[in-house]
Amino acid sequence: MPRSRSPLLLPLLTLLGVLTLHGAAWGQAFGWAEGDARNPGPGVLLPEIHSAPWFQTWDLWLWTQDERVVVAQFVTSSAIRRLALKGSARVAIADLRQPGSRALEQVRRGDRGYDGDRGDWAGSENPIRVNFHQSEVRWQGETLHFAMHTRGVTMEVALTPQAPWWWPGHGRLRLREDPSRFAQVLFLPRARFTGTLRMEEGGDTTPISGVALFASTLTNAMPAALGHTWHRFVTMRADGMTLLAGSALVPVDDGFAAQPYVAAFLDGREVFSSTQATLTLGPAQRDRRGSGTYDIPRQLLFSARRGQDELQIVVDVGRMVLAEDLLSKLSPLVRGLLARAMAPMDYEHEATYSARLTIDGHVANIAGAGWLTSNYAR
């Protein structure tokens, strides 16, 4: 059965301190539905690829025919022009066929590349292509190619879209003080894929196929300036339903306010979406890691109404698959400087959900497994 990270949103926080060299403003952010309207699509994946600062994730969830879930993330970044073209790669393989057991089979990371002489990534806009060591994302014709080669894991897949590209509202949160600084999230809600997977050096390479969901997040500003906490939940179902829900906690005059969104797709066709959603967080579990303490909600309730139509998603947070201190990849000097202002952490969780969707008076109650990503800027 399909299921779901991503990001949300930005495990790209690792080089934030150097962004102050660009005078990135700390201030209030516009909501998802504010700003100029643009059409979502692969053409917005790489605007001004060599501009700096630049942080981007390419997140992929594969649900194979034998019910394995492959979660892959590819990260690229450019901090300042002197340190441009730095990136990283990560592959996580999860198996949902044994509920309650250790679902994470492998986690593989490539060189983060922040030491100044290794880890360079390269990219082009026509065709859209980003490659890091032997890992690559490439958009060619109507196909998205995704290859990961890192520490024994080899995965190569080709995605054929079965749905239009989608993003919440106009797709971007923008700083009010400097609207050219933004954070963007873009989804391909459903695709078919074929490819191969090898889990260990010298191991067998096996064919895989099934359905996939792709997401890209990017920012050219300090993510901490655009949001305090980011959540993203994704799931796909064997009956053709895809659910997306996310939120950014953005600065306002008297503190922070959530900017949630929700969407539902059936066989790739949007049946409901809203950027006027509400997010209610349940009791939290405190988790102390590195220099920070993080309140991890055990439950999230997303709710939105559009006319008489309504979508409610209750996400119950399950086993923590991965927790990564995003400053840990930096030099001790840079890490010490940044730790005074922020303590970014990326959490990946398995999750279960129950959802109620009302469309034209027809009610559907569904439940299943999904994937939750939570990112904390500080």
Side-chain angles (χ1 to χ4, degrees), residues 82-290:
R82 184 172 58 86
L83 298 176
L85 303 181
K86 302 299 173 186
S88 65
R90 182 169 77 190
V91 176
I93 308 298
D95 189 345
L96 294 186
R97 290 173 294 184
Q98 301 178 32
S101 67
R102 179 173 173 79
L104 182 68
E105 293 180 351
Q106 302 287 342
V107 175
R108 302 296 188 215
R109 292 183 182 84
D111 188 300
R112 285 288 184 181
Y114 297 142
D115 57 3
D117 61 356
R118 293 185 301 154
D120 290 358
W121 60 271
S124 65
E125 296 179 73
N126 189 20
I128 295 174
R129 180 183 180 185
V130 172
N131 64 288
F132 168 83
H133 290 201
Q134 299 180 65
S135 298
E136 180 181 71
V137 179
R138 184 176 80 255
W139 177 262
Q140 187 170 4
E142 295 299 318
T143 304
L144 181 64
H145 298 268
F146 206 104
M148 300 295 289
H149 299 264
T150 175
R151 295 191 187 179
V153 172
T154 299
M155 182 187 74
E156 296 187 1
V157 295
L159 279 66
T160 302
Q162 290 191 306
W165 294 78
W166 181 88
W167 55 22
H170 297 162
R172 289 181 174 179
L173 294 174
R174 294 179 180 272
L175 278 175
R176 295 181 185 274
E177 291 83 353
D178 182 0
S180 67
R181 300 298 184 189
F182 64 86
Q184 173 180 291
V185 57
L186 176 68
F187 294 94
L188 179 58
R190 193 173 184 88
R192 302 294 303 181
F193 80 88
T194 58
T196 58
L197 175 67
R198 187 187 69 190
M199 282 301 302
E200 295 292 347
E201 192 74 39
D204 294 334
T205 298
T206 59
I208 55 175
S209 61
V211 293
L213 187 155
F214 172 76
S216 170
T217 67
L218 67 89
T219 182
N220 64 355
M222 284 183 110
L226 287 152
H228 180 283
T229 306
W230 308 77
H231 297 291
R232 182 172 61 190
F233 171 77
V234 297
T235 188
M236 295 180 69
R237 296 171 50 85
D239 59 11
M241 180 70 74
T242 299
L243 297 177
L244 307 176
S247 178
L249 195 63
V250 303
V252 294
D253 287 334
D254 55 352
F256 291 88
Q259 288 283 344
Y261 60 86
V262 295
F265 303 82
L266 183 61
D267 294 330
R269 181 176 63 89
E270 180 187 320
V271 295
F272 184 93
S273 69
S274 175
T275 57
Q276 302 299 313
T278 61
L279 171 61
T280 303
L281 300 178
Q285 177 178 328
R286 183 153 290 187
D287 185 62
R288 181 169 182 79
R289 292 176 185 268

Side-chain angles (χ1 to χ4, degrees), residues 299-359:
Q299 188 178 80
L300 301 88
L301 169 60
F302 294 91
S303 181
R305 178 181 292 273
R306 189 179 63 188
Q308 299 301 311
D309 297 341
E310 188 175 11
L311 175 60
Q312 290 187 340
I313 306 173
V314 178
V315 179
D316 290 302
V317 182
R319 192 183 70 83
M320 182 188 299
V321 174
L322 189 66
E324 185 173 11
D325 177 355
L326 298 175
L327 297 185
S328 65
K329 308 301 179 184
L330 303 179
S331 69
L333 174 60
V334 175
R335 186 166 63 245
L337 292 173
L338 295 185
R340 298 181 180 182
M342 63 192 71
M345 182 69 69
D346 173 31
Y347 288 94
E348 305 292 340
H349 283 92
E350 292 181 331
T352 58
Y353 72 92
S354 59
R356 180 181 177 89
L357 176 63
T358 304
I359 301 292

